[in-house]
Structures are given as structure tokens and as C-alpha cells.
Amino acid sequence: MDTAATTVVTGRRLVTPDGVRPGCVHIADGRITAVTDTDTAPPDAHRLDAGDQYVLPGLIDSHVHFRTPGLTHKEDWRHGSRAAVAGGFTTVIDMPNTVPPTLTHEAIVAKAAQIQGSSLVDHRFHIGLDPDRPELLAELDPALATSAKIFMAGHHTAPTVVRDAGQLEKAFVAAALGDVQLVLHAEDNELFDLLDTWRGEPGHYADYEQRRPRSAGIVAVAKVIELVRRHGTRAHILHLSSAEEADLVCAAQAAGLPVTFEVTGHHLSFTDADTRRLGARTRLSPSIRGQADQDRLWEAVRAGQPATLGSDHAPHTVEEKTRGVSLSPPGLPGVQELAHAAWTGMRRRWPDEHPDHAARRVAHYLGAAPADLFRLPGKGRIVPGADADLAFLAPDDTWMLSAADVHTKCGWSAYEGWTFTGRVTRTLRAGRTVWDAATGTFGTYDGRLLASVTGRPTREEAVHV
């Protein structure tokens, strides 16, 4: 662990808001004090030389399921945060579908207490919407949460699905009053029920995507856009999976509506052909789509259209994943793989592009953009005054992921056997090393709960936003 009062990180590829540049990041008391052209620190400062590696801001994954409380047989914060820092992440925002679900201020406090002393990463929580009390979002304490998760469709770990249109609209009204960022699993549950009544639930993976089709996502996204139009609520569509959904959200943005979307690593990495081949490993919700959809999502990434990339890190045990098709829960681990998969994909899809462009995209989608969207002060940028969270990326390292590399508690990855280009070699949080790939060692489990310093407007102010 780095213990010197002052640390200097030097490198030829610092990824800053002004571009990629050589320089030095000066760190004291867990914060960046200066970004300079030369090393001006005292001789006894601790020094780390990144050489030709990219020095990224510590990455932010705004969509993880670390399974605490109640589901720690398949993931816990000690293992989940190990996977995170091994992937360059220093901050995560955890989802509420645990046992019990995180639906109240009291549940957030209790969850934070359980996590204390076992996290390598700083963290925030998305509170869950209680369908029977949507009005609670108007009173959400921003010191505990600034965002709320809504499930519009159910699956094995979604206990609070909003099935009533009136409840959904009340949630949008309350979120607008409370200046709460909604994050949504936007698929239409009624459409799935209708199809299952007609055809039955999927019985094998050869037709899994057709039984969980894009139409459910398109219908749900259209509903979200209309509610945003009526109430001005900020809405973020999670794990958007199809070309049509991307077009809808981009059109809504062009019309000035505050709706954004996330693209996941698995929707960028796999297609429905992989689900037919790999079965449960890539059984997801929303399901993996076709090649044309993946191409559209990659073009969205290149064009700057998504607000964030996310892992939707959702581990399950091998025993759970190998149940019958209707019983196998959707989800896969992904926080360790996300930045590696995104970097590899960009380098291979656009081989003639200078790698600095890819580095700036990673810093944007996994740094500045989620920090802004979810009000994470001090995160996501290499600037004076920010938290000293950094990740070193060796851009041309070629390596194959094996089960031995996997740090999540479930012990498997859908990316096993993949050859990646680029590898995170070191991760620093608050100026201290929390992951060193050369030695395979981790740092101190003292990650903290992040409070927002952005106050909520009064009800009168919010009504006129």
C-alpha cells in the first residue's frame, strides 16, 4: 500500500478533460492537488511511473448487483469490489433488488452498515421504487440516494415490478418533485405475459431472443418517453438492447427531453448467436439481440449517444444458471470485464483510429458522464481537487481471460477464453493502490458511502423545472 504523504503519478498518456497529455498527477490526503507538466514534488514523495500506459480517472460503474443483503451466496462486497478494482473501477452504484429490497432510507443505512469494512470501492445506492408508495420519491434524502430504480418487467430477482400504469405515472410525478434521477429496466411486462400465454415460456435457448423480443423494450421506452414529456422527469434507460430503442431515445433527446440511455458490455460483446451457443451464460434480461443491433449500439458509442456504459454485474452460481431455461436467472458477472471489453471492441472495430480516441471515450462513458448524471462530486475526472482515483491501462497488452482470473464470488465469466487487447495493471483509490496486477494483490477495504452535495430543490422550484 502507498503510505507516503505525497504521491506523484507520472506518465506520457494522462487522460484529462482537455485531452491526452504527458504530465504528473500530484496527490495528497487522497485528493489530486495538481496536474503539472513536470514533477515538482519533494524528493521523499512516493512516485509511480505509468510510462506509456494510459492513466485514466478511476472508473465508475453505475449498474452493479453486489447482492448484499440476502443473496451473498453468489456475490458479496468483498468479492464484487475485487472484481471492480481489477477492472479499473473505483466507484460503483449498487441496485436495490436484494433480500430484503432496498426501498427505504432505513434500508440504505442498514445496507451501508453491512458493507462497511468490506469494500475496495466507494459506493452509492439506487433506491428501489415501492410500487405501493411511489410518493416516497418526492422525499428522497440526497445524502443517501439521488436515483431510484424502476422495474417495468419482472424476472427472478425483481421483487418490486411496477405493473400498474397509474403507479408508474405517480412515480414519475414524485421523482420530478424530488429531483430524483430514475433508472429503468424498460421492458413491458404485459407484453411478455401476453406472448407467454400464447406460446408458453421459452423452452430452449435456440429461440430465447424471439420469446423475449425487442417489441417489449420498444413499447416500454415509448411509455417512458411519454411520461418524461408530461412531467419533465429525468429518466435513464438501462441496458438498452435494440436499434429501435436507441433511435427512440435519440429522437427524444433531439426534442429536448431529459431521457438518456446506458449500453452494457454484454450487449456490445455478444449476439443472439452466442446465446444459442452458450445458453445460460448469456441468458440476459433484456435478451441479447442480433448483429445489426450490436452494430447500432457500437455506432451509438462512437457518436456519443449513450450517457453511460454499465456492466449490469449480476452474478449467479453455476447451479442456478444451469437449471432449466424457464428457471435459470438472467444475468452475468461483468464489472471486471467491462472496460476491457469496451477497449478491445473499439480497437478492433476501428483499427485505423488513434487509441487516444478510445481512451477519451472510456474516460467519458465510465468517468465524467456517470459522475455528472448521478451527482458524484470529485469523481470521474483527473483535475485538481478531485478524488485521487486512477486506473493504469496498458493499451496493447494481449491476454486471455481464464477462470483463474475471475474475482467475482460466483467464479465464472461469459468471457472465459476471450483474448483481450489492453489490460488494467494498477488501480488507485484516494491515492492508494487497491489493485496491482503485477503482484495480484489488493489494497485496504475502506471504501466509503458517497453522499451528494447537490441539494434538492424545493417542491415549488421543481414544479417549474
Side-chain angles (χ1 to χ4, degrees), residues 6-10 39-49:
T6 302
T7 297
V8 181
V9 174
T10 61
D39 183 351
T40 58
D44 63 345
H46 179 69
R47 286 173 168 82
L48 291 171
D49 185 4

Side-chain angles (χ1 to χ4, degrees), residues 120-140:
L120 288 164
V121 294
D122 292 339
H123 43 275
R124 174 83 65 79
F125 307 124
H126 301 294
I127 199 168
L129 175 72
D130 183 343
D132 296 324
R133 296 189 295 169
E135 67 278 0
L136 293 180
L137 294 187
E139 303 298 332
L140 184 59

Side-chain angles (χ1 to χ4, degrees), residues 114-406:
Q114 285 186 266
I115 291 166
Q116 188 173 6
S118 62
S119 180
L120 288 164
V121 294
D122 292 339
H123 43 275
R124 174 83 65 79
F125 307 124
H126 301 294
I127 199 168
L129 175 72
D130 183 343
D132 296 324
R133 296 189 295 169
E135 67 278 0
L136 293 180
L137 294 187
E139 303 298 332
L140 184 59
D141 183 351
L144 295 176
T146 61
S147 52
K149 173 70 175 288
I150 295 179
F151 287 95
M152 296 174 68
H155 56 70
H156 297 65
T157 63
T160 56
V161 179
V162 182
R163 303 177 188 275
D164 180 79
Q167 289 176 321
L168 184 63
E169 181 148 21
K170 288 178 182 178
F172 273 72
V173 171
L177 288 171
D179 192 30
V180 173
Q181 174 70 62
L182 293 183
V183 295
L184 298 108
H185 182 132
E187 292 187 288
D188 191 79
N189 203 79
E190 290 182 353
L191 190 148
F192 285 151
D193 289 345
L194 184 68
L195 290 173
D196 287 347
T197 300
W198 177 44
R199 290 177 170 172
E201 291 189 358
H204 47 80
Y205 290 106
D207 64 354
Y208 179 74
E209 194 274 336
Q210 291 93 335
R211 297 296 186 91
R212 291 292 178 264
R214 71 187 60 237
S215 52
I218 295 167
V219 168
V221 168
K223 288 181 179 180
V224 169
I225 291 171
E226 178 55 28
L227 289 168
V228 169
R229 190 194 307 276
R230 287 183 204 165
H231 305 294
T233 318
R234 293 184 296 121
H236 185 56
I237 308 296
L238 299 171
H239 40 47
L240 186 142
S241 64
S242 73
E244 292 89 344
E245 292 165 81
D247 290 345
L248 280 173
V249 177
C250 289
Q253 292 172 342
L257 299 179
V259 57
T260 55
F261 70 96
E262 167 197 81
V263 175
T264 64
H266 44 260
H267 284 112
L268 293 172
S269 300
F270 302 102
T271 69
D272 56 351
D274 293 302
T275 305
R276 290 193 294 271
R277 179 174 59 88
L278 297 172
R281 279 183 180 261
T282 56
R283 181 201 169 143
L284 294 159
S285 180
S287 61
I288 300 291
R289 307 293 177 204
Q291 187 64 58
D293 296 293
Q294 187 186 90
D295 292 343
R296 172 67 179 92
L297 297 181
W298 271 113
E299 285 308 310
V301 168
R302 194 172 197 181
Q305 293 170 346
T308 63
L309 299 183
S311 71
D312 191 7
H313 177 82
H316 301 284
T317 65
V318 171
E319 186 275 329
E320 289 169 330
K321 289 295 281 185
T322 52
R323 295 170 183 168
V325 175
S326 63
L327 299 175
S328 172
L332 52 75
V335 65
Q336 182 177 343
E337 299 89 340
L338 174 57
H340 294 120
W343 180 262
T344 299
M346 286 187 283
R347 297 295 302 279
R348 292 179 182 172
R349 280 185 169 254
W350 311 311
D352 297 329
E353 182 181 76
H354 195 285
D356 284 3
H357 294 294
R360 295 191 71 180
R361 285 193 200 97
V362 171
H364 173 73
Y365 288 126
L366 295 171
D372 291 345
L373 188 69
F374 295 108
R375 306 177 191 180
L376 299 167
K379 299 297 185 183
R381 292 177 174 89
I382 300 177
V383 294
D387 291 352
D389 300 346
L390 304 170
F392 295 5
L393 175 70
D396 299 316
D397 277 16
T398 301
W399 59 288
M400 182 179 290
L401 182 73
S402 70
D405 299 309
V406 174

